C-alpha cells in the first residue's frame, strides 16, 4: 500500500488525495442506504464501518493529521434521516478524535450541514485554497477561479471496463484541462456504488461540461492499487475496437 | 392416487344428476354431451378432483362448470344459497377471465328464465376480480359476493389476506384452474400452488378441477394440481381427450436444396410461400419465435406485396407492443377483419381470437407441445381439423422441424417440468400467512409441504427463509425496518410485524419481474424503448438497431438514453436472449435420428433407400428429404455423424491462430449452457486465460488464444461435481445478478410499492447489484441468493439433464470422438456461425481489472 505522486505536492492515496499533511475525500453520501430503502430497496446500512476503516488505513499510510471533506458528506437534500443523523454524529466524533483539523467544503447535498456544524464544532466553507490548489465541490463554478489546479468532487467518476457480457466498474480520478487551468475530479468515498460511469452516463458537473472529456487522463483506483488508463478517448477507442464479439 | 378415467357416462346418467332446470336448458341448447363432458362431469359432481386435457372446441367451459352450475341451482332452489363464494375459477390471463364470464352469461341467464317460468326467482352471481376491478365493484362484491368468482393467481393470494372478503370464501367447494399447463412450469404456478394450500387450510376440502392443453406427462400436472394431504398424495382422475382433434400438419421446405441455397434466395421463396398460404385461407395466424422476427415478417409482407397487405388487414402481436395495440389486434381478429396476424409467443394461450383456419410456424417452435398448442389455435369447432404448416429456414431448422412433425403426428410430446423449492415465492407466501394469523412453525411447514412444489422442502431452507423474513441478518436496533415477521423460537411461532403489512403485501405480490424499459431519445424526440439490461451494456460510441434504424449511443441519464443517427453495421447485436430453447426430449430424438442415419451410411445403403426411409420416418416430402439426405451425407463424408452414442469433438484453428473446440452436444441450449460454462470455468482456472464460449441448441464451442485442453477440462467434470463447479462459474455473471434481482423482488427485499408510493421502476439493475453485493458479502447461503442460483441452474439452464449427460459419458453410453478439421464440418457450421457469444472471465474482480488494464495499455501502444 502506498501513495502515488500525481504532481508536485499532490498524491493519490486510494480514494483520497494527500495535500501537505491533510487527506482529502469527497462524496461520502452517508445515509444513502436509507435513501435506497425509501426507493424500495431494503438494504440495511453497511458502509459506515467500512468508511471509517478506510479513513483509518489511509491515515496510517499517509500520516495525515488533517482531513478535508470536499462535499456531500450526507445524502438527503432537504432533511436529516435517522441513519444520517446517527452516522454523522458518529463520524464527527471519530474525526475529532483522530484529526487535528477538520474542514467540510459544502456540497449540493449538504444544505443542512451548517446547522449541524454548530453542534459538532468544525469549519464549513464554500471553497478552500491549500498549497496552490483550489478545492470546490463542483456543482457550481465559483467566480474566483485563480489557481493552477482545481480539485472537485460531485461527479463520482468511474469507468466501466467491458469485455463481452461482463462489465466491471472501477472508481477513478480524472485529470485534464479546464479553460487555462488543470481540473482534477475525485472519485466518491463510499462503498455502496462505484459511481457514475463516464463512458456511459451523462456528465453532471458544470466544470466537466465545459471541458473536452476525451482528453482527460484516467487513474483507476482499487484497494490502494492505481491503474493508469491513459485518456478517456483512448479507453473509448479500445472499447470500440474490441467491441462486443459475436456478430 | 392419480389415475386415468376410463369410464364414459351416458347422457341419461349425466342428466339424472343435473337439476331439472339445468337439464332442460342443456337439452334445448345442445344435441348431446361432448366426450370430455361424458368423462368428467359425473366425477366433478361427486366432488372428485379431475384434470381434463382437451383441445379447443371441446366444450371446456361446460365440462368444468356444468355440475357446479347445477349444484348452485339446487342450493338456490332449496333456499340454501348463501351470499358467499362457492366456486373460484382461476386463469393466467385477464382476457381469458373476461371470456369465461361472457361464456357463463348465457347459461346462467337462460336457467334463470326457466326458473322464472316456474315462478321462481333465481339469482346466481358471477364476477371477475382482478387488479383491474374498480373499488366500487370491489365494495359491491363485498356486500353481494359472487357465487362464482373469476380471478387470477395473484388476486387470489391478495384475497386470502383481505380480512372481510376472505370470510366469504368459507363456502368454496370448487376451484377450477384453467390453462394449467402454462402455469405448472413456472413460478406463477408455484405461487398458485401455495395459494391453493392456504385456501384449503382456510376453508377445508374442495374439489380441484384442472383444464390443460396437451402436455406430458399428465400425471405430473395432476400431482401439481392436487398436491398432498399431510404426506399422502391426494387423488385425481385424468380425463385425456386430447387425441380428438384431428391434425393436418405439414412441413414446407422453401427451396429445393436448402443446404446450398443462400439466405436471400430462401428469404424470397419463404415470403412467396407465406403470401400464397395467406391468400388461400381466410385468416392465418403466423408464429415466429421472437419479437423482432414478428416485426420483420409484417414489414416484409407489406413491402413485398403492397397490393395485398397493409395496416388494415395484417398486424403484429407481441409483448413489447402496447396493450391498446394488442387489444385492437385481438378485436379485429374476432371480427374477422384481418387476413393475417403475426405473433411471437403472445397468442399461444387460449384467449378468443375468432376464426383461424391456418396456423403457420415460421421455423422451429423448439418443442412438440408448443407446436401442438400453436397449431391447435386453428379450427375452433371440434369437428374442424387443426391445420398447421411449418416453414423451415435453414438446414438445422429442417431437421429439427421434421422431428417435431414426426412426434406431433405420433403423439409424442416433450415433458413438462415443475420448478421446486423456490425460496423467493415461499418467502412471499409465508409473509402472507403471517398476515392472516400467527402460525406454529411446524404446522406451517406441513401446510407448505402439501403443495407439490414444496413436498421435498428441507427444514433448514424453510428456517433460513423464516430467519430472512424476521430480519435476523440486520442488527437488532435496525431490524424493525427490514423484518416482516417476528419469530419466537421458544414458543415455536411466527406472526406478522408492522401495521402496514397487509398493504405492503397486497401491493407487492406476484412472480412476474418488473421489466423496465429505457426511453431512447434522438434530437429530443422519443424514437423507441430498449430494455434496461441492454442499456446497461452500452458505452459511448456503440451503435445499435432500433425500429429498423441505426443509432449511436451518446450517454444515459436515469432511464433515458441519448442517441444520434448513425450508419454502418451495428456494433452491438440486438438481443438473443429471447430465443426459445430446444427441448431436451426433442434434442434426444434428433440425435437418435442421426444415429439411424449414421448406420444407413455405414452400411452403404443407396440414396433411394435412404430417401425412402427419411420420407416415411419423418413424414416429409421428397424435396425436404433430399435436403436432409445431402446434409447428412456431407457430414458423414467430412467428419462422421455425431449421435446419441458418439459425441463428436472437433478441433480447428481459425484465423490469427485462434483455437476452437466444437462439441457436437445436441442437447438443447439449457443443458449446453450449464455444461459449457462449467467447462470454461475449469479451463480458465487451470490455464488462467480467457475462454470464449458460444452456446446453441446443437452444441457449444470454446475458443482461446492458445492451447486450452478443452477435452481434459470436459473430462474433469463429473456428475457429482457439476453443481459445485457451476455454482462458482455463475458467481460473477450478469445472468445471476439479473435473476437475483427478480428473486429479491419476489421475496420482497426489493419493493415495487412502499409507503404508499409506486417506486420508479428505473435502474433496477444498479440497485439489484448493490443488494447482491451486500448479500454475497454477508452470507453465501443467504436464501434469496441460493434461490437465484437454483433458478439459474434448474429453471433457466437444465442442470438435471446436464448431469444425466455426464453420467452417460462416464458410464460409456456415449463415447467421445475427437477429430481435427481444417474448416468446420457441416454440422458445426451453424453452430459456429450462430449461437450467442459469451466471453466469460472467471477471475476475481481485481484480476479482471488488472488484465483489462494491461490489454488496454498494450492496445494503446500499438
Amino acid at each position: 500500500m502506498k501513495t502515488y505522486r500525481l504532481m508536485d505536492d499532490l498524491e493519490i492515496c486510494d480514494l483520497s488525495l494527500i495535500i501537505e499533511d491533510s487527506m482529502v475525500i469527497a462524496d461520502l453520501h452517508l445515509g444513502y442506504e436509507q435513501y435506497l430503502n425509501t426507493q424500495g430497496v431494503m438494504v440495511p446500512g453497511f458502509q459506515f464501518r467500512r468508511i471509517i476503516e478506510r479513513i483509518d488505513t489511509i491515515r496510517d499510510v499517509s500520516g495525515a493529521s488533517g482531513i478535508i471533506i470536499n462535499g456531500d458528506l450526507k445524502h438527503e437534500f432537504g432533511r436529516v434521516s435517522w441513519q444520517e443523523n446517527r452516522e454523522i454524529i458518529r463520524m464527527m466524533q471519530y474525526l475529532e478524535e483522530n484529526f487535528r483539523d477538520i474542514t467540510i467544503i459544502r456540497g449540493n447535498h449538504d444544505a443542512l450541514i451548517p446547522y449541524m456544524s454548530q453542534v459538532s464544532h468544525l469549519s464549513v466553507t464554500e471553497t478552500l485554497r491549500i498549497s496552490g490548489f483550489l478545492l470546490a465541490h463542483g456543482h457550481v463554478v465559483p467566480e474566483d477561479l485563480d489557481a493552477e489546479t482545481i480539485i472537485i468532487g460531485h461527479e463520482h467518476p468511474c469507468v466501466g471496463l467491458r469485455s463481452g457480457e461482463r462489465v466491471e466498474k472501477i472508481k477513478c480520478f480524472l485529470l485534464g484541462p479546464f479553460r487555462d487551468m488543470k481540473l482534477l475530479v475525485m472519485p466518491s468515498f463510499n462503498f455502496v456504488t462505484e459511481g457514475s460511469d463516464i463512458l456511459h452516463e451523462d456528465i453532471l458537473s458544470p466544470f466537466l461540461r465545459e471541458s473536452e472529456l476525451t482528453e482527460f487522463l484516467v487513474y483507476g483506483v482499487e484497494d490502494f492499487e492505481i491503474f493508469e488508463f491513459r485518456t478517456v478517448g483512448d479507453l473509448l477507442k479500445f472499447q470500440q475496437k474490441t467491441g462486443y464479439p459475436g456478430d | 392416487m392419480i389415475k386415468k378415467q376410463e369410464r364414459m357416462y351416458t347422457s341419461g346418467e349425466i342428466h339424472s344428476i343435473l337439476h331439472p332446470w339445468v337439464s332442460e336448458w342443456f337439452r334445448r341448447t345442445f344435441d348431446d354431451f361432448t366426450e370430455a363432458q361424458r368423462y368428467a362431469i359425473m366425477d366433478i359432481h361427486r366432488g372428485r378432483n379431475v384434470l381434463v386435457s382437451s383441445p379447443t372446441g371441446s366444450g371446456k367451459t361446460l365440462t368444468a362448470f356444468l355440475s357446479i352450475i347445477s349444484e348452485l341451482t339446487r342450493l338456490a332452489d332449496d333456499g340454501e344459497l348463501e351470499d358467499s363464494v362457492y366456486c373460484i375459477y382461476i386463469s393466467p390471463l385477464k382476457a381469458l377471465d373476461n371470456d369465461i364470464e361472457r361464456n357463463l352469461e348465457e347459461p346462467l341467464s337462460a336457467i334463470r328464465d326457466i326458473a322464472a317460468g316456474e315462478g321462481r326467482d333465481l339469482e346466481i352471481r358471477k364476477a371477475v376480480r382482478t387488479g383491474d376491478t374498480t373499488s366500487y365493484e370491489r365494495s359491491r362484491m363485498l356486500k353481494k359476493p359472487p357465487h362464482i368468482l373469476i380471478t387470477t393467481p395473484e388476486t387470489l393470494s391478495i384475497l386470502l389476506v383481505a380480512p372481510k372478503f376472505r370470510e366469504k370464501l368459507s363456502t368454496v367447494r370448487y376451484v377450477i384452474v384453467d390453462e394449467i399447463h402454462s402455469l405448472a412450469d413456472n413460478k406463477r404456478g408455484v405461487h398458485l400452488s401455495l395459494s391453493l394450500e392456504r385456501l384449503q387450510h382456510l376453508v377445508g376440502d374442495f374439489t380441484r378441477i384442472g383444464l390443460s392443453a396437451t402436455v406430458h406427462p399428465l400425471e405430473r400436472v395432476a400431482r401439481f394440481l392436487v398436491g398432498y394431504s399431510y404426506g399422502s398424495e391426494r387423488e385425481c382422475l385424468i380425463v385425456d381427450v386430447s387425441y380428438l382433434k384431428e391434425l393436418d400438419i405439414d412441413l414446407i421446405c422453401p427451396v429445393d436444396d436448402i443446404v446450398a441455397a443462400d439466405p436471400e434466395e430462401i428469404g424470397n421463396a419463404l415470403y412467396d410461400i407465406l403470401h400464397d398460404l395467406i391468400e388461400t385461407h381466410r385468416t392465418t395466424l403466423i408464429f415466429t419465435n421472437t419479437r423482432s422476427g414478428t416485426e420483420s415478417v409484417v414489414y416484409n409482407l407489406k413491402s413485398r406485396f403492397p397490393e395485398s397487405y397493409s395496416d388494415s388487414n395484417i398486424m403484429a402481436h407481441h409483448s413489447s407492443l402496447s396493450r391498446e395495440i394488442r387489444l385492437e389486434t385481438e378485436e379485429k381478429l374476432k371480427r374477422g377483419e384481418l387476413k393475417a396476424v403475426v405473433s411471437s409467443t403472445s397468442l399461444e394461450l387460449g384467449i378468443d381470437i375468432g376464426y383461424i383456419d391456418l396456423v403457420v410456424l415460421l421455423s422451429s417452435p423448439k418443442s412438440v407441445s408448443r407446436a401442438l398448442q400453436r397449431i391447435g389455435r386453428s379450427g375452433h369447432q371440434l369437428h374442424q381439423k387443426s391445420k398447421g404448416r411449418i416453414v423451415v429456414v435453414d438446414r438445422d431448422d429442417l431437421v429439427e422441424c421434421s422431428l417435431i412433425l414426426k412426434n406431433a403426428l405420433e403423439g409424442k410430446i416433450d415433458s413438462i417440468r415443475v420448478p421446486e423449492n423456490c425460496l423467493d415465492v415461499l418467502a412471499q407466501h409465508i409473509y402472507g400467512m403471517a398476515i392472516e394469523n400467527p402460525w406454529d412453525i411446524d404446522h406451517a411447514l406441513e401446510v407448505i409441504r402439501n403443495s407439490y412444489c414444496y413436498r421435498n422442502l428441507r427444514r433448514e431452507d424453510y428456517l433460513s427463509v423464516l430467519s430472512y423474513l424476521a430480519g435476523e441478518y440486520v442488527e437488532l436496533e435496525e431490524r424493525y425496518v427490514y423484518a416482516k415477521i417476528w419469530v419466537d423460537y421458544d414458543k415455536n411461532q411466527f406472526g406478522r410485524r408492522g401495521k402496514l403489512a397487509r398493504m405492503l403485501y397486497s401491493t407487492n405480490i406476484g412472480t412476474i419481474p418488473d421489466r423496465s424499459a429505457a426511453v431512447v431519445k434522438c434530437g429530443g424526440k422519443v424514437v423507441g424503448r430498449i430494455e434496461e439490461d441492454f442499456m446497461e451494456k452500452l458505452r459511448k460510441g456503440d451503435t445499435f438497431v432500433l425500429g429498423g434504424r441505426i443509432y449511436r449511443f451518446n450517454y444515459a441519464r436515469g432511464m433515458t438514453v441519448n442517441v444520434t443517427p448513425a450508419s454502418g453495421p451495428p456494433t452491438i447485436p440486438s438481443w438473443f436472449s429471447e430465443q426459445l430453447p430446444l427441448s431436451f426430449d426433442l434434442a434426444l430424438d434428433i440425435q437418435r435420428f442421426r444415429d439411424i442415419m449414421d448406420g444407413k451410411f455405414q452400411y452403404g445403403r443407396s440414396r433411394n433407400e435412404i430417401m425412402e426411409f427419411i420420407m416415411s420416418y419423418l413424414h416429409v416430402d421428397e424435396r425436404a428429404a433430399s435436403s436432409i439426405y445431402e446434409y447428412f451425407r456431407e457430414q458423414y463424408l467430412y467428419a462422421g455423424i455425431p449421435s446419441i452414442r458418439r459425441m463428436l469433438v472437433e478441433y480447428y484453428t481459425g484465423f490469427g491462430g485462434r483455437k476452437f473446440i466444437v462439441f457436437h452436444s445436441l442437447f438443447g441450449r439449457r443443458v449446453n449452457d450449464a455444461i459449457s460454462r462449467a467447462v470454461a470455468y475449469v479451463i480458465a482456472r487451470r490455464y488462467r486465460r480467457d475462454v470464449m464460449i458460444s452456446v446453441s441448441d446443437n452444441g457449444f464451442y470454446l475458443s482461446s488464444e492458445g492451447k486450452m485442453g478443452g477435452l481434459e477440462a470436459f473430462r474433469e467434470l463429473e456428475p457429482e461435481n457439476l453443481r459445485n463447479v457451476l455454482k462458482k462459474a455463475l458467481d460473477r455473471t450478469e445472468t445471476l445478478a439479473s435473476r437475483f434481482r427478480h428473486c429479491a423482488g419476489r421475496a420482497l427485499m426489493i419493493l415495487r410499492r412502499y409507503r404508499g408510493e409506486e417506486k420508479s421502476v428505473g435502474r433496477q439493475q444498479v440497485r439489484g447489484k448493490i443488494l447482491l453485493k451486500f448479500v454475497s458479502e454477508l452470507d453465501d447461503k443467504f436464501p434469496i441468493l441460493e434461490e437465484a442460483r437454483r433458478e439459474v441452474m434448474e429453471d433457466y439452464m437444465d442442470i438435471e439433464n446436464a448431469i444425466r449427460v455426464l453420467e452417460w459419458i462416464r458410464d460409456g453410453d456415449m463415447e467421445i470422438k475427437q477429430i481435427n478439421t481444417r474448416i468446420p464440418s457441416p454440422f458445426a457450421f451453424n453452430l459456429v456461425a450462430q449461437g450467442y457469444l459469451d466471453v466469460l472471465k472467471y477471475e476475481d474482480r481485481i484480476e479482471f481489472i488488472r488484465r483489462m488494464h494491461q490489454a488496454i495499455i498494450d492496445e494503446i501502444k500499438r
Side-chain angles (χ1 to χ4, degrees), chain A residues 37-38 40 42 50 86 162-163 166 168-169 191 197-200 202 222 225 228 241, chain B residues 478 482 535 537-540 542 556-557 749 751 754 759 773 777 841 845 850 853 859:
Chain A
N37 289 173
T38 66
M42 305 314 286
R50 276 184 230 191
R86 206 180 53 170
R162 180 183 69 198
S163 183
R166 186 172 180 179
E168 292 284 357
K169 298 189 189 180
F191 297 96
D197 183 347
I198 55 158
L199 300 179
H200 172 79
D202 192 15
E222 176 85 2
E225 235 180 289
E228 288 173 27
K241 184 131 188 239
Chain B
E478 299 193 15
Y482 307 96
M535 176 190 71
K537 297 202 196 301
L538 295 170
R539 293 280 164 300
K540 293 189 163 87
D542 286 340
R557 185 196 299 200
M749 209 174 181
L751 299 169
Y754 184 45
K759 295 305 150 195
K773 181 169 149 178
E777 286 171 15
K841 316 250 177 206
R845 184 181 142 84
R850 282 182 194 138
H853 174 245
E859 181 60 36

